[in-house]
Each structure stands twice: as C-alpha cells, then as structure tokens.
Amino acid sequence: MTAFFFLAALTAAGPADRPPADISHPTTSSASAAVGAVDLVSNQDTAQRRIRGRVLSEESGDPLPYAVVELGSGPTRRTAKTDEEGRYLLTEVPAGPQQVRVSTLDHAPLAVTVEVPESGDLELDLLLRITPIGIAGITVIANPVPSLEIAGSEGEAAGRGSPADPELRALETTPGMAELGLVEGARAEPGIDPSDPEGALYVRGAASDLKLVLLDGAPVYAPFHLGGLLDAFQPNVLQSAWLYSGGAPVRFDGGLSYILDLNTRQGSHEKFHSGGAVDLLGAGARVEGPLGIGSFLASGRVMHRAGSDGIAGERLPYGYADGLARVDLGLGTQHHLSLTGFFNRESVELADVTALDGPAYWGNAAGSLRYRSRLAGSDAVFTAALSRFTTRLPIGVEAPGVADGKSWRTRLAADFSRPAGGLRLGYGASYDRQRIDYQAFEVSDSGTTWLARNGVSEALGGYGEVIWEATPSLQ
C-alpha cells in the first residue's frame, strides 16, 4: 500500500507594518501579481523609499506567512519575510523600474516589475497560485501472520478476548484509544487503580494527551488513521497545516508535545467544480462553488472494500468514512464569516469477539464558527468550536465486556493583532471545557456496569505578546 505524508516547514516571520490595499490586475501565467493603489508620501530623504504590501493565496485570498520577498541583486539586493498576516516591508529601495520576486514552499514563485517613485512608499500586494509538493510514496509489502492461540491464566478464557490477546493488545495503540484510557484501565478491578500509570483515565497533561490538533479551530482527536491506508484529511481541501514541535505561538491553549493547526480552504468563488475517485478499496468526491455572497466546499470519503478479496484474499476487516463541509460569507470588505463541519468514523471487525454487536469503532464530530474583522485598528478573529469523540471496543474480563468512552469539548477564542511602530502586538483570550464519560460493563442478561468514570475540566486564560524582528531571520 502507498502512504502519503504532508510536510509543513516553519521559518521565522517577517515584519508587519500596515493594512494592505485592495487587490487588482492579476498577471502572468504561473502566478498572479496584484498592484494596489500607489500611496505617495512626501519624504525628502530618498533613501527611505519603501515597498510594502501582502502576499496572498490566489485561490482563497488567505495570507501566506513566511514567504520570501526579494528585490534587485548584488549590493542593491533587498529581502524580507512575510509575517503571519502575509505582510512584508522592503526598505531603502532604489527609484525606477525594479523587479520584485516572491517565493514560498507550496505556491508557484512570482516575479513582477514595478516602477518605484522618487520618494514615498509603493504598496504592492502579490497573489501566488498553489502548487502542491509531490512526495514519493512508500510501498510496504508484508506476509499474513497466523493468529496466535495463547493460554490464559486460571479463571480466564484462552485465546481471543483474554487480556493477553495480541489483537486486543494491538488495539491499545490505535488512534484515540489512549486519549480516553479505554484498554488497560478497563481491565482493572472495580475501585482499584491500575498498577500501570498508562491505565488511568487520561486528562490534559497526561502522557497521551500532550498534543493538540485543531481543524479550523475545532479540537479533533486521532486524526491519523489505522494502518496508513488513508491520508488524515483529503489534501485538496486543506489550505495549510502548521506543525509546532516546540516554540509554539502563545495563542494556542494546550499541546505540550506538539500542536498541529489545520486550516481548510474556501470553495471557489468563480464557478462550480466537482471531482471524485474510486479504487478497489474506497471512493471519494468533492464539490465546490459560489454561494451568493460567498462560497461552499464539501467533500467525503468511504471505504467500500469491494476489491479487498482480490488484494488480501479475504474481506478487509477495516472500515472508514468521513465528511467535511465549509461555507464562507463575505460581509462587506472587512468582515468575513466561515462555518466548518467535520465527522469521521473508523472501525475494525474482530473475529470471535462476541461482546460487541458490531465492530470496534471510534470517531469525531466537530464544528467551528469563525468571524474575521478589522476592529479599532486590530485584525480580529473570533472562534467558537464544539467537538465530540466517541469510541466502543471489547475488553478482556472474566466475562465478555464492552468499554464505551465519550469526550465533549467546547472551545471559545478571541485573537487580536496590530502594528505598533516597528513592533507588532498580539493579545487575546480563550475558554476550554472538556467532559469525559467512560464506562465498562459485562455482556450478560443484567448488563452489569462494573466500572464508571466521568470528569469535567475548564480552563480560562488570556495572553499578550510583543513581536520584534531584530534581524530578517531573528524574531
């Protein structure tokens, strides 16, 4: 099978100065440049001629942080990097015709010639087209291993369903199981804490919950799928994916191990598009297009497994389905509203496990509402998000048992940023509420529940930061 991986590269951000002019007049075939209104400011010192503006994605209009902007060559060469809002600033620019070049990791490079005035500032906004980076796949070939029959200890059933069963042991490492403490903790006797600390109910700060994955601001558990058969998300619906393994921005309220910030793209504002694909194991489809004063984007995937008999010699005991939808509305020139919804469900069929009425499964349902605006000179982003993670799997006890786990999470955030001379100020606040319910019960006539746990956590905080670019490569 072939697995594909998404690479996110981080570099230092560049300076931020002032809001951009409107974008217009796209040019070139591989990318587009837009020159805003030229703002001539009286300045007797011609050495202070500057070019400023923003670098944006042509498809969505979103800013492109950490893009490299260059001008000239040799002694007259000037460089700058865009900040998180896509702003850049080139200083001490010679007058006359000058070529401006811009490049970034996942967009086509662009070069455009502009006329720099004798004095004052030139505002220049640049549009780049997305060009995904192709990464060679990895092919894995393996032979099937016969099932192991393991004799259990006295009082325990041998083979499948016992605590020593390798298949159930393998389930402990599947995505999402550890987040809710569903395997080892369920095997402990009622009222007795497990000897293994990994068998406890996990809360924020525990070893398995040090990560934070956000999809358009909504927390998502277990985005990486079992066996590597599928990409975590369809690549053609993502605008950006930022991975922070250290030194994450202060606005994130969690994730000590790593933070993965995923953002979907807007649907096409120009015309209706659709696409899809079907193979021996699955199928996927995508539609997008204009929607009144905005746009929409919807996609879905499902594992039908119709051809798995010919590949593995038997029906693949794995199932998956997901769906994503996004609607964007433009409320004037400085107001934007976006709504994103996502769900997925992953399942594994376990032979000879009679405790479940169906396969073991886990999955997410998440949604976020985001409002972007310009308020009192600051760029503002307000986020309200809800998410739920559910899972159900068998456990090995003296009688067949089932473990159920559910997590509900609410996240509210307000983030602001604004220029302040040569600095940039960032500030905001967030609220996070999480509830976890977990229970294990024996499959019997009475359906006896022998272990139940639940917990609620709430966190409220604020932050402030001052960003100063000491050099073009040090922030």
Side-chain angles (χ1 to χ4, degrees):
M1 51 192 150
T2 302
F4 297 93
F5 299 89
F6 189 94
L7 174 64
L10 301 178
T11 58
D17 202 296
R18 60 182 293 177
D22 292 336
I23 300 171
S24 59
H25 311 303
T27 62
T28 81
S29 60
S30 64
S32 299
V35 180
V38 177
D39 179 17
L40 296 180
V41 179
S42 177
N43 194 332
Q44 299 300 321
D45 185 1
T46 57
Q48 295 303 312
R49 288 182 293 266
R50 302 185 299 181
I51 298 178
R52 71 173 85 209
R54 300 180 78 188
V55 179
L56 307 169
S57 175
E58 179 181 0
E59 284 77 7
S60 66
D62 291 339
L64 297 179
Y66 317 124
V68 178
V69 183
E70 298 179 278
L71 180 143
S73 61
T76 62
R77 182 172 177 265
R78 303 287 185 270
T79 63
K81 289 187 178 72
T82 58
D83 64 9
E84 292 188 355
E85 299 299 327
R87 295 185 175 87
Y88 71 92
L89 175 65
L90 295 168
T91 60
E92 300 181 0
V93 177
Q98 299 291 339
Q99 186 181 66
V100 178
R101 302 176 299 278
V102 59
S103 60
T104 190
L105 180 65
D106 54 354
H107 285 68
L110 170 67
V112 60
T113 301
V114 297
E115 184 73 23
V116 179
E118 290 294 334
S119 63
D121 294 352
L122 173 65
E123 293 197 3
L124 178 68
D125 292 342
L126 302 165
L127 296 180
L128 302 185
R129 289 180 181 170
I130 293 179
T131 54
I133 300 174
I135 300 178
I138 299 175
T139 302
V140 179
I141 301 175
N143 295 321
V145 178
S147 300
L148 300 177
E149 292 294 331
I150 299 177
S153 59
E154 184 176 356
E156 287 184 344
R160 300 176 187 271
S162 71
D165 184 357
E167 290 192 5
L168 292 183
R169 285 288 184 179
L171 269 179
E172 297 179 27
T173 63
T174 57
M177 300 301 100
E179 277 82 351
L180 297 178
L182 281 183
V183 182
E184 286 292 342
R187 294 177 181 155
E189 292 298 325
I192 300 177
D193 290 334
S195 58
D196 184 353
E198 292 186 354
L201 177 66
Y202 289 98
V203 296
R204 176 178 296 173
S208 67
D209 196 29
L210 299 183
K211 58 186 178 292
L212 176 65
V213 180
L214 299 175
L215 178 65
D216 285 353
V220 175
Y221 283 106
F224 308 110
H225 309 311
L226 183 65
L229 295 175
L230 297 168
D231 295 323
F233 298 92
Q234 293 196 59
N236 56 9
V237 302
L238 290 179
Q239 170 65 33
S240 64
W242 297 101
L243 175 64
Y244 302 95
S245 58
V250 69
R251 69 178 180 273
F252 292 109
D253 48 357
L256 298 182
S257 175
Y258 71 83
I259 295 171
L260 182 59
D261 185 22
L262 302 169
N263 294 280
T264 60
R265 66 176 178 86
Q266 298 183 36
S268 173
H269 291 263
E270 302 299 327
K271 59 181 180 180
F272 180 83
H273 294 275
S274 64
V278 180
D279 57 30
L280 293 176
L281 296 179
R286 172 180 53 86
V287 294
E288 60 181 300
L291 185 67
I293 58 174
S295 65
F296 76 93
L297 169 69
S299 68
R301 295 182 296 179
V302 65
M303 292 280 290
H304 58 70
R305 300 173 288 175
S308 60
D309 290 347
I311 297 175
E314 59 181 356
R315 179 179 171 82
L316 188 68
Y318 173 74
Y320 181 79
D322 71 15
L324 184 145
R326 172 169 170 165
V327 175
D328 290 86
L329 299 176
L331 309 176
T333 58
Q334 294 186 342
H335 304 278
H336 181 265
L337 190 67
S338 64
L339 175 64
T340 303
F342 171 76
F343 87 91
N344 71 344
R345 178 186 168 101
E346 197 164 6
S347 62
V348 176
E349 297 173 0
L350 300 174
D352 301 330
V353 176
T354 60
L356 295 174
D357 295 333
Y361 68 84
W362 54 94
N364 295 274
S368 69
L369 180 66
R370 276 185 162 177
Y371 173 69
R372 301 176 185 270
S373 182
R374 183 85 176 166
L375 299 177
S378 296
D379 294 326
V381 181
F382 299 93
T383 303
L386 296 173
S387 64
R388 185 188 68 178
F389 178 78
T390 59
T391 186
R392 181 181 178 92
L393 77 162
I395 52 177
V397 293
E398 293 185 3
V402 174
D404 279 322
K406 296 180 178 64
S407 173
W408 293 267
R409 196 162 180 178
T410 303
R411 184 173 180 269
L412 305 175
D415 300 287
F416 304 87
S417 64
R418 63 184 302 159
L423 306 175
R424 188 162 189 84
L425 304 180
Y427 53 97
S430 66
Y431 168 77
D432 189 291
R433 185 181 191 274
Q434 186 173 5
R435 175 183 174 87
I436 293 178
D437 286 342
Y438 164 76
Q439 67 174 349
F441 57 90
E442 297 174 353
V443 178
S444 62
D445 294 338
S446 61
T448 304
T449 298
W450 60 278
L451 180 64
R453 297 287 187 270
N454 62 73
V456 176
S457 68
E458 294 182 289
L460 175 65
Y463 73 90
E465 62 180 352
V466 178
I467 302 173
W468 169 54
E469 187 182 76
T471 69
S473 59
L474 177 63
Q475 186 181 88

